[in-house]
Amino acid sequence: MLRFFMFAFVFLLANSSSAQDSDYLQGQVIQGPFKTDVVSRGELSFLQTTSEEFPVSLVLDVVGVDNKKNRSLVDKYDVAGSDPKIESIFFYPVKGKKNVLVLVSWEITSRGIGTYGTLYQVYAYEKSADNKLVVNKLIRFDKNLSGIEGYQEGEEQHFPYVNAGLIKSYIKKINGAK
């Protein structure tokens, strides 16, 4: 039953590396810029890239003391049944450290195996020592923060974290708050 879900989850994890690649640093802004204090003098934007495999990227622009913007790739989001859709971006502490959280979705249809609906994945990024954003592994590898709203191998599935408020409530629990 979980074969398809686990394959999709592993595929998403393996293909969302944050290796620098100029193809993902350019493109049309589809959301943003969003000012953030997670990184000093930072702005985040989602770009529509020219890549067929990773059509959406998240970039961080940091304004230096010389007022020039330095852009770095935070992450890129792959095709998983459909192009990725950015559902939400918000800022929330994870284990006492400010994070950027992103909810991404994909429409999936594989009616032959009875799997269709919307696949969701929550991503989180925290500030690194060199003032960049890096993957928060606690969130990335939390199996509860990825799931399907629809049907998987003919069985109805419900993903409970489809918006920022619900994700914050879950993170509050893992942070140890009552």
Side-chain angles (χ1 to χ4, degrees), residues 9 137-146 170 174:
F9 183 69
K137 291 182 176 145
L138 177 70
I139 300 298
R140 178 64 60 94
F141 295 116
D142 186 326
K143 66 182 184 331
N144 295 312
L145 293 175
S146 181
Y170 176 77
I174 66 172

Side-chain angles (χ1 to χ4, degrees), residues 80-93:
S82 68
D83 284 357
K85 178 181 176 191
I86 307 303
E87 296 286 346
S88 183
I89 180 172
F90 58 98
F91 309 96
Y92 199 71

Side-chain angles (χ1 to χ4, degrees), residues 7 10 14 18 20 25 27 30 35 45 48 53 59 74 76 92 97 101 143 162 164 169:
F7 173 77
V10 169
S18 54
Q20 283 289 359
L25 296 174
I30 54 175
K35 291 197 181 296
S45 298
Q48 183 73 48
E53 190 176 1
V59 296
V74 176
K76 55 191 180 187
Y92 199 71
K97 194 172 182 181
L101 287 110
K143 66 182 184 331
V162 295
S169 293

Side-chain angles (χ1 to χ4, degrees), residues 10-43:
V10 169
F11 182 78
L12 290 172
L13 291 177
N15 287 302
S16 61
S17 71
S18 54
Q20 283 289 359
D21 189 335
S22 63
D23 290 347
Y24 306 110
L25 296 174
Q26 308 172 57
Q28 179 182 343
V29 174
I30 54 175
Q31 286 190 36
F34 303 100
K35 291 197 181 296
T36 178
D37 63 353
V38 176
V39 171
S40 301
R41 302 179 73 161
E43 286 185 346

Side-chain angles (χ1 to χ4, degrees), residues 29-95:
V29 174
I30 54 175
Q31 286 190 36
F34 303 100
K35 291 197 181 296
T36 178
D37 63 353
V38 176
V39 171
S40 301
R41 302 179 73 161
E43 286 185 346
L44 295 161
S45 298
F46 292 97
L47 304 179
Q48 183 73 48
T49 72
T50 57
S51 169
E52 289 184 25
E53 190 176 1
F54 296 95
V56 176
S57 65
L58 174 61
V59 296
L60 172 67
D61 290 316
V62 177
V63 179
V65 291
D66 57 0
N67 281 331
K68 289 185 180 179
K69 284 187 179 180
N70 297 311
R71 178 169 281 181
S72 62
L73 179 64
V74 176
D75 214 342
K76 55 191 180 187
Y77 307 102
D78 64 335
V79 173
S82 68
D83 284 357
K85 178 181 176 191
I86 307 303
E87 296 286 346
S88 183
I89 180 172
F90 58 98
F91 309 96
Y92 199 71
V94 177
K95 298 289 183 185

Side-chain angles (χ1 to χ4, degrees), residues 100-114:
V100 176
L101 287 110
V102 178
L103 177 62
V104 182
S105 72
W106 297 261
E107 291 304 313
I108 55 171
T109 302
S110 185
R111 295 206 183 258
I113 61 170

